[in-house]
Amino acid sequence: MPAKYSHVKKRTTNPKKKATATIQSGKDSSRHKKLPNHLDKTITNAMSAVSQLERAIAKIFLIRFEQDIARLFSTHVFCVALIHLPTFMMRCITVGGSSWVAHNADCEEIKDFFRSVVSMDLRQAGERVSTKSVLWSYTALREFALSNNVPVCRKRGLHSLRLLPHYDSLKVHMDSLEAMPHAAFTKPPHLGALTEGLEALEEACELKYGEKSPLRSTPPPGWDHQWRTKVRMGYERLAQTLWRVAREFDVSGYGCVLREKLTTKWCDCGCSTDHLGEVCEKTVREDEEGSGVRSGKQREWDGRGSGVLGWETEEEEDIWDIDLDFGGSDSEDGDGFGSEMTIAQMMEIRFIKAEREKEFGNAAFRRGEYQRAVKHYKVAHSIEPELPHYQLNLAAAHLKLSNWLEAEEACTKALGQHRSIKGYYRRSKARRMLGKIDEAVQDLRAALKIQPSNNEALDELLSILPPDDSSRLAPPPSSLATSSSSTSPALRNAGSLYDHLHLPKLKQPKQLPFARSSNDDRKIKISSIPVSYEVPLMPAGKTSTELKPKDLKTRTESFIFPSWEKYTVRLATG
């Protein structure tokens, strides 16, 4: 016994009290007796059934969400090809001539520009599509419930537990959705050819460069009687390149906020899909009261119900064409203009904050402070989780720090949104250092499938594979990138090398009905024009709600914001 308590005498145990305590303990144990096995199993089964129902509903919403992103963004890509590609092509023609685009529509400079803008457009997928998609899917689920005599509360909407007796039907629908091909971007079949875009392009060319042009007395060099054919084929090839670039992106990497809500919890109260009814019911009823219930709506288990204009027709609404200036949205972290800030402005401020962190990371990376760069890139990604290039930067920093597992993880996240050459190449380096040679080879093959002439990926693959006599077939790296003649020895050797490595062969461009000129060998540079933003300056320890609008100070900052409107096309120097 410690000295502090040495004056206390140890009491002897009273046998009667001990017996009483034992009896009392026995009473307590009998009071908390274990439930009968059949009751315990019933409760467990009920909880399991509810969990299965919730997962099925969430899965249905997520799959339909991916389908909606794919379908609506495909409509957007078609509109880009119809409206913005003619302008883009006119700028290329001004620099390179009438046949330049036809010969160079698939060049890396054009594809990289397309990738940057498509990535920025898809960044908005969560804000633009998720609200609509959830509303459409809830409408279909609600009509399915009503058709099965399941009551729907006017105030709180559909309670998911009421669908428990109909779980088998929901499961069948979920299985049918999962059996469908993975949602991808492709030209909507109900949309026609790009005739209007081509006509506008030809008219613009005629006015600026044609024989009847009021701007010139004579056509510029290279503008002959075949210019219409050259422009038409260039426009067609440019549109094909745009669709190929769009298909590099994966719809399952977008809508992070909705995914988190449906897979973890919908709101702070901890519920999952029950809260959906309370959120959506009012909107659905207001739409029905205003527009009426469309005929056959009750049978639209595979449709979208409320709010659809021209479902799969040429008049179908373009989600990317709708302003996000709904107003009245508070900035979550107080870095904006309070209640006056629109959703579009919030997205701009969010992007600016992420880009600022990225630039801090880039500066640290150049100084060799890779650990500091990692911190900045992580912050950038936490602000803008639907832009993959922050994860690619993060992977580059981890590779410098020999953090192979972290680099692999960052690349995998980026590739979940965009299947890029950088993502596959950097992951292959990380996997090679982790001893995952087979996976590293697969990544390099995937990178070379995107860009067969990528010398870095080819050299890396050759260094991984065991050397043999066929290595002598490898031509100099420069010959792979510059050779364009199908009869040259370098390209014949390149073909043999690609056969040996089981890689897709370098595709020869389809023969055009007009010859290639020296102007068509020009290199161009496409640059996004920096955009100036008024960035709010928040005093330390203050939030936007504590400041009056007149007291809020701003400063002008410029950032690169890739878009289809603000860019320049010029001849590359050097």
Side-chain angles (χ1 to χ4, degrees):
M1 183 177 292
K4 183 177 178 182
Y5 301 105
S6 59
H7 64 284
V8 180
K9 292 183 179 180
K10 190 174 182 180
R11 294 182 180 178
T12 56
T13 305
N14 190 331
K16 291 185 178 180
K17 285 189 176 182
K18 187 174 182 180
T20 305
T22 304
I23 295 170
Q24 187 66 35
S25 176
K27 288 182 179 179
D28 291 342
S29 62
S30 64
R31 188 182 304 167
H32 298 286
K33 197 185 302 182
K34 187 179 179 181
L35 289 171
N37 287 335
H38 70 280
L39 288 178
D40 187 44
K41 188 175 293 186
T42 300
I43 294 174
T44 302
N45 290 341
M47 293 178 65
S48 177
V50 172
S51 177
Q52 285 181 337
L53 175 68
E54 290 286 350
R55 284 199 298 268
I57 293 174
K59 189 70 174 178
I60 288 171
F61 273 65
L62 284 175
I63 296 175
R64 291 166 73 99
F65 172 62
E66 291 179 359
Q67 293 174 351
D68 288 335
I69 291 180
R71 185 177 56 83
L72 292 171
F73 193 74
S74 294
T75 302
H76 173 67
V77 172
F78 177 84
C79 292
V80 168
L82 191 66
I83 298 169
H84 295 293
L85 281 196
T87 303
F88 176 81
M89 187 164 174
M90 274 297 296
R91 296 181 184 182
C92 293
I93 286 174
T94 302
V95 173
S98 59
S99 60
W100 187 92
V101 176
H103 285 287
N104 298 277
D106 199 45
C107 71
E108 290 302 316
E109 184 69 21
I110 288 178
K111 288 193 289 188
D112 284 343
F113 173 70
F114 285 177
R115 286 165 183 147
S116 66
V117 185
V118 169
S119 179
M120 289 298 293
D121 285 350
L122 272 173
R123 157 183 170 263
Q124 304 178 17
E127 283 81 359
R128 290 188 178 275
V129 179
S130 60
T131 302
K132 287 278 189 180
S133 179
V134 166
L135 185 63
W136 295 338
S137 294
Y138 172 77
T139 303
L141 192 66
R142 178 178 180 269
E143 298 306 324
F144 167 78
L146 292 175
S147 66
N148 285 279
N149 299 318
V150 175
V152 177
C153 176
R154 289 187 62 86
K155 197 169 185 180
R156 296 189 176 275
L158 175 63
H159 196 293
S160 60
L161 285 180
R162 295 184 181 275
L163 293 172
L164 197 55
H166 307 283
Y167 170 75
D168 290 340
S169 297
L170 290 172
K171 180 71 165 54
V172 169
H173 180 62
M174 182 184 72
D175 291 341
S176 66
L177 290 175
E178 290 184 316
M180 295 174 65
H182 183 64
F185 304 121
T186 183
K187 182 178 176 297
H190 61 279
L191 297 176
L194 298 171
T195 306
E196 294 179 11
L198 179 60
E199 290 175 352
L201 178 60
E202 289 181 343
E203 183 179 354
C205 290
E206 180 68 49
L207 287 174
K208 193 169 184 179
Y209 300 112
E211 296 177 359
K212 301 178 182 179
S213 172
L215 304 177
R216 319 176 54 95
S217 57
T218 59
W223 286 81
D224 51 24
H225 65 282
Q226 284 189 305
W227 73 264
R228 289 184 184 275
T229 302
K230 296 175 181 178
V231 168
R232 175 177 56 80
M233 298 197 73
Y235 183 45
E236 291 174 355
R237 290 193 169 194
L238 202 61
Q240 292 169 3
T241 299
L242 176 62
W243 282 110
R244 280 196 297 272
V245 167
R247 282 190 283 270
E248 292 177 5
F249 292 81
D250 192 338
V251 297
S252 60
Y254 294 88
C256 298
V257 174
L258 179 63
R259 291 176 188 280
E260 182 181 1
K261 287 180 178 292
L262 288 174
T263 54
T264 55
K265 59 180 183 178
W266 185 257
C267 63
D268 291 335
C269 70
C271 65
S272 179
T273 56
D274 277 344
H275 196 64
L276 282 171
E278 191 174 345
V279 172
C280 299
E281 185 65 26
K282 182 180 178 181
T283 304
V284 173
R285 288 186 180 272
E286 286 178 353
D287 179 72
E288 289 183 350
E289 292 171 2
S291 307
V293 179
R294 293 188 291 114
S295 60
K297 183 176 178 182
Q298 285 77 9
R299 297 189 298 275
E300 284 184 7
W301 179 231
D302 230 3
R304 290 296 185 271
S306 173
V308 180
L309 170 62
W311 179 258
E312 289 193 351
T313 68
E314 292 184 5
E315 288 75 33
E316 185 174 36
E317 59 187 325
D318 182 2
I319 294 296
W320 270 260
D321 196 40
I322 298 174
D323 279 338
L324 285 177
D325 299 340
F326 304 138
S329 300
D330 294 332
S331 178
E332 294 179 359
D333 50 11
D335 280 346
F337 297 96
S339 60
E340 299 299 321
M341 179 175 284
T342 65
I343 292 179
Q345 289 172 334
M346 288 170 60
M347 292 177 66
E348 288 179 357
I349 294 298
R350 194 176 70 201
F351 172 72
I352 290 171
K353 289 170 62 180
E355 283 295 291
R356 185 186 294 145
E357 289 292 338
K358 185 199 78 173
E359 290 304 322
F360 289 153
N362 289 348
F365 190 95
R366 288 191 292 269
R367 295 193 302 267
E369 299 174 3
Y370 303 120
Q371 196 62 54
R372 183 179 294 274
V374 164
K375 293 180 180 179
H376 286 299
Y377 293 145
K378 283 184 176 180
V379 173
H381 180 259
S382 67
I383 297 171
E384 273 288 7
E386 298 195 355
L387 282 177
H389 64 271
Y390 300 133
Q391 286 292 324
L392 292 177
N393 291 355
L394 180 61
H398 278 309
L399 287 174
K400 290 291 185 179
L401 293 167
S402 301
N403 296 336
W404 314 123
L405 282 172
E406 290 82 355
E408 181 187 27
E409 181 183 0
C411 289
T412 300
K413 286 182 180 178
L415 291 167
Q417 293 176 316
H418 178 215
R419 293 181 288 274
S420 65
I421 298 169
K422 285 184 179 179
Y424 284 121
Y425 178 72
R426 290 176 184 174
R427 191 170 70 174
S428 73
K429 292 180 76 69
R431 286 180 164 177
R432 182 179 185 180
M433 299 306 297
L434 289 168
K436 301 178 180 179
I437 303 301
D438 291 342
E439 290 89 338
V441 169
Q442 290 176 3
D443 283 341
L444 290 170
R445 293 188 193 281
L448 288 166
K449 185 176 181 181
I450 297 173
Q451 188 182 359
S453 60
N454 188 283
N455 296 322
E456 287 185 339
L458 186 59
D459 290 342
E460 185 75 10
L461 183 58
L462 286 170
S463 68
I464 291 178
L465 295 177
D468 58 20
D469 293 339
S470 60
S471 61
R472 69 179 188 274
L473 296 174
S478 59
S479 66
L480 287 176
T482 59
S483 178
S484 59
S485 172
S486 60
T487 59
S488 67
L491 204 57
R492 283 201 302 270
N493 287 346
S496 301
L497 173 64
Y498 276 64
D499 285 340
H500 166 64
L501 297 176
H502 305 290
L503 294 172
K505 291 183 180 180
L506 292 167
K507 290 185 178 180
Q508 296 301 308
K510 188 177 180 181
Q511 191 68 32
L512 294 170
F514 41 86
R516 187 183 185 99
S517 67
S518 59
N519 286 342
D520 299 325
D521 294 328
R522 294 175 176 178
K523 303 296 181 183
I524 66 168
K525 179 69 176 176
I526 307 169
S527 305
S528 295
I529 299 175
V531 180
S532 297
Y533 293 97
E534 292 296 322
V535 181
L537 298 175
M538 302 302 301
K542 296 284 186 180
T543 63
S544 59
T545 56
E546 297 173 333
L547 292 175
K548 296 180 180 179
K550 64 179 181 179
D551 298 328
L552 188 62
K553 297 181 180 180
T554 63
R555 72 176 174 210
T556 302
E557 293 189 17
S558 297
F559 291 89
I560 299 295
F561 194 102
S563 70
W564 297 110
E565 291 87 13
K566 298 181 179 180
Y567 60 92
T568 60
V569 179
R570 56 182 175 80
L571 284 176
T573 57

